[in-house]
């Protein structure tokens, strides 16, 4: 493997592989695991949106041919090819060759095994672009734990032979199998029955006009996988019934905000008092002792007023905000990592939009 990504243009004899997927499906983790630390982050042409690329050196175990260099490109997460944000627009541009980005030779669609229907919707639109496509199936351990694991061979058959490879996005296990599948798919992959090749000329119109057909196709895939027979209610499902309830969810959200602000002020208050009184006293005494070495004229003059009443007072005032901000960011990080922030955004979205806010 190598990591010199060069520029965003196609390099002669270097095939370009673009990775796409929904947000939080393990795409970027898998990408980094495949390339190691040898990646380069840059902005897409004409935007401030970051994309990551790097070179992957592939050596087939079935032939004696020289190793190949492929350019891997990781795009921002997107739910569809009808972009609603600059990040999603960059992902679409990377797939369609718009805005100065070259058209990829192959697309790797990262599919979340725990949210198959949502990932399949994106897959259906990517497939209809007519590009060679390989499916990388992630979150397989969580799907198995929830009783809804996906048989990759069966899914591949339902996709009329499109390659499907299970891969661990954290460790990169399955990376060699994915590379072999990519190598074999450069010549083209089938468009599954129920989908049809379209055009990127008016992608938004095409995406919206065939939404029902794609949903019917997804339902057929899920029936073929017997996913409709799975009725395993997880702890997360039970929690979501409360947190996503249109009334109870809003009350929980307001209660969480109250607890966060109360905890912030309650926990920060003693530390603020210590900084404002004790630490300020230490610094004042230290400055008085230092200035006293130069005599009464200095210790009681304008220099002391500048240092104590001006500089020290300003610094201490700023320092008193550190406990508040530190505790608040810690609590918000806990809420983010627990998954509650995404649920809070979902619950409050309608109310915020009514105020003209996202």
């Amino acid at each position: 493997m190598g990591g010199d990504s060069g520029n965003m243009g196609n390099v002669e004899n270097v095939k370009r592989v673009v990775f796409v997927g929904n947000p939080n499906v393990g795409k970027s983790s898998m990408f980094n695991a495949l390339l190691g630390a040898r990646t380069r982050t840059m902005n897409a042409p004409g935007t401030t949106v970051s994309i990551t690329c790097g070179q992957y050196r592939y050596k087939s175990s079935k032939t004696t041919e020289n190793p190949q260099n492929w350019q891997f490109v990781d795009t921002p997460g997107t739910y569809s090819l009808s972009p609603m944000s600059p990040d999603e627009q960059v992902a679409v541009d990377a797939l369609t060759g718009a805005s100065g980005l070259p058209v990829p030779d192959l697309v790797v669609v990262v599919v979340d095994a725990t949210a198959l229907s949502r990932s399949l919707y994106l897959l259906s639109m990517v497939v209809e672009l007519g590009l060679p496509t390989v499916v990388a199936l992630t979150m397989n351990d969580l799907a198995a734990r929830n009783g809804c694991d996906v048989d990759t061979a069966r899914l591949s058959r339902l996709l009329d032979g499109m390659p499907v490879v299970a891969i661990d996005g954290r460790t990169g296990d399955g990376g060699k199998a994915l590379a072999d599948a990519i190598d074999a798919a450069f010549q083209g992959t089938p468009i599954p029955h129920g989908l049809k090749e379209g055009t990127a000329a008016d992608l938004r119109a095409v995406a919206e006009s065939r939404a029902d057909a794609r949903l019917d196709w997804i339902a057929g895939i899920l029936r073929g996988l017997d996913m409709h027979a799975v009725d395993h209610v997880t702890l997360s499902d039970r929690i979501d019934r409360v947190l996503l309830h249109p009334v109870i969810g809003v009350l929980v959200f307001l209660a969480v905000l109250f607890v966060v602000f109360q905890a912030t002020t309650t926990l920060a208050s003693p530390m603020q008092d210590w900084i404002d009184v004790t630490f300020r006293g230490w610094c004042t005494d230290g400055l008085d002792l230092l200035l006293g070495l130069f005599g009464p004229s200095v210790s009681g003059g304008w220099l002391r007023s500048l240092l104590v009443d001006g500089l020290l007072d300003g610094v201490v005032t700023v320092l008193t905000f550190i406990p508040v901000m530190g505790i608040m960011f810690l609590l918000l990080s806990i809420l983010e990592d627990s998954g509650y922030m995404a649920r809070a955004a979902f619950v409050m979205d309608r109310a915020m939009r009514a105020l003209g806010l996202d």
Side-chain angles (χ1 to χ4, degrees), residues 84-158:
M84 301 295 291
S85 68
D87 287 9
E88 292 186 340
Q89 184 64 60
V90 167
V92 172
D93 291 345
L95 287 171
T96 59
S99 301
L101 294 171
V103 178
D105 296 289
L106 183 141
V107 180
V108 175
V109 179
V110 183
V111 171
D112 182 354
T114 65
L116 198 58
S117 59
R118 185 177 62 199
S119 294
L120 287 176
Y121 190 82
L122 176 62
L123 173 65
S124 67
M125 286 188 283
V126 173
V127 166
E128 290 186 340
L129 293 177
L131 296 169
T133 305
V134 172
V135 174
L137 194 66
T138 61
M139 308 293 183
N140 300 283
D141 53 342
L142 295 178
R145 192 183 309 164
N146 294 337
C148 56
D149 54 317
V150 179
D151 185 337
T152 56
R154 192 174 182 181
L155 178 57
S156 179
R157 289 195 299 270
L158 291 169

Side-chain angles (χ1 to χ4, degrees), residues 318-335:
V318 172
L319 290 178
T320 57
F321 285 97
I322 291 180
V324 176
M325 301 303 295
I327 293 172
M328 177 171 287
F329 276 109
L330 175 62
L331 294 176
L332 291 178
S333 297
I334 293 173
L335 292 175

Side-chain angles (χ1 to χ4, degrees), residues 101-241:
L101 294 171
V103 178
D105 296 289
L106 183 141
V107 180
V108 175
V109 179
V110 183
V111 171
D112 182 354
T114 65
L116 198 58
S117 59
R118 185 177 62 199
S119 294
L120 287 176
Y121 190 82
L122 176 62
L123 173 65
S124 67
M125 286 188 283
V126 173
V127 166
E128 290 186 340
L129 293 177
L131 296 169
T133 305
V134 172
V135 174
L137 194 66
T138 61
M139 308 293 183
N140 300 283
D141 53 342
L142 295 178
R145 192 183 309 164
N146 294 337
C148 56
D149 54 317
V150 179
D151 185 337
T152 56
R154 192 174 182 181
L155 178 57
S156 179
R157 289 195 299 270
L158 291 169
L159 296 176
D160 294 337
M162 180 175 292
V164 179
V165 180
I167 185 168
D168 190 321
R170 295 167 299 178
T171 64
D173 289 345
K176 184 59 171 67
L178 178 62
D180 291 338
I182 292 173
D183 182 56
F186 277 124
Q187 301 303 317
T189 52
I191 296 180
H193 179 72
L195 302 177
K196 63 180 182 180
E197 185 173 346
T199 176
D202 191 0
L203 197 58
R204 182 183 293 272
V206 173
E208 294 175 354
S209 65
R210 287 187 45 79
D212 290 340
R214 293 191 186 95
L215 292 174
D216 290 339
W217 175 78
I218 293 170
I221 297 294
L222 297 179
R223 285 194 299 271
L225 292 171
D226 292 331
M227 298 299 288
H228 64 287
V230 177
D231 188 22
H232 183 75
V233 179
T234 65
L235 176 61
S236 180
D237 295 329
R238 297 188 182 96
I239 294 174
D240 284 346
R241 290 175 182 174

